Amino acid sequence: MPRVSMRDALIEAGQKVLHERGYAATAVQDIAAVAGVPKGSFFNHFGTKEAFAALAIERYVSLGETGIADLMDNDSLPVLQRIIMLIDAVNDRVKALGGREGCMLGNLSIEVAGASEPLRVQLSDAFGRWCAPLAGALERAEARGEIALTVDPATMANFIVNGLQGAILRAKVDLTSTSVEQFKVILLDLLRQGEAEARKTSPKKP
């Protein structure tokens, strides 16, 4: 197994601290301590806290993007089943942590979007990267006649991601996953209507 570089160790450790504490409450010393390296190493590798945060966000986004893409690109499963699996994975995470952690992108969007333009732009792009594989799966499913949407696939993908973000945020104050479960019920009802509509309009097999 290749040895993890000090830079990568700082990013991995710092991402966890940033997620748990938020941007303002995360000190450089905290990141260095968790990574087990001298404080000066942080500035040698990143220069500023904002530059570090950008790399930590990228790591978090890339991991999420890969997971969503792996699931949504699996067209051997019905698109509705894949969406259920996605929401269930989110819900399992929320329940395991009692709702306290939230999503790092959502947390930072609230905290830093008005204070750092570079981070705001990065966060906006990050949500788009998470929406893209979902939109692609919906588009392919609609083309196959598997589902009928009343809006374009990109809009529906944004609605799903936005709804999940709101439900995760609510979970942070309620300390329960109820909001995620309620979102799932309403979303599936909406999408199942689309499935039924697709069956009605698809050509009958002889």
Side-chain angles (χ1 to χ4, degrees), residues 58-202:
E58 175 56 32
R59 182 179 187 275
Y60 185 82
V61 174
S62 293
L63 290 171
E65 184 179 25
T66 298
I68 296 170
D70 286 346
L71 178 59
M72 290 300 149
D73 289 348
N74 183 8
D75 286 339
S76 65
L77 298 175
V79 71
L80 191 58
Q81 182 179 343
R82 281 174 276 163
I83 291 171
I84 291 171
M85 292 168 67
L86 174 64
I87 299 175
D88 284 347
V90 171
N91 196 34
D92 288 345
R93 177 75 176 176
V94 171
K95 286 194 290 188
L97 297 168
R100 289 177 172 82
E101 186 178 72
C103 169
M104 193 173 89
L105 291 193
N107 296 347
L108 290 178
S109 294
I110 294 169
E111 186 180 7
V112 306
S116 168
E117 180 62 10
L119 293 183
R120 183 200 67 75
V121 171
Q122 184 181 11
L123 290 164
S124 178
D125 176 69
F127 284 119
R129 287 166 59 183
W130 282 1
C131 288
L134 185 53
L138 288 166
E139 184 175 9
R140 294 191 302 276
E142 190 170 39
R144 292 193 301 268
E146 182 182 331
I147 193 169
L149 300 174
T150 57
V151 295
D152 64 88
T155 298
M156 179 57 74
N158 273 283
F159 172 76
I160 294 170
V161 171
N162 293 346
L164 270 176
Q165 284 294 316
I168 294 168
L169 177 61
R170 177 67 182 269
K172 286 191 70 175
V173 294
D174 289 345
L175 299 182
T176 171
S177 63
T178 300
S179 55
V180 179
E181 291 157 9
Q182 289 173 338
F183 172 72
K184 175 184 171 181
V185 169
I186 295 170
L187 175 66
L188 294 186
D189 182 64
L190 176 64
L191 293 177
R192 281 174 178 143
Q193 290 179 40
E195 277 190 323
E197 187 64 28
R199 285 194 295 269
K200 286 194 298 184
T201 58
S202 60

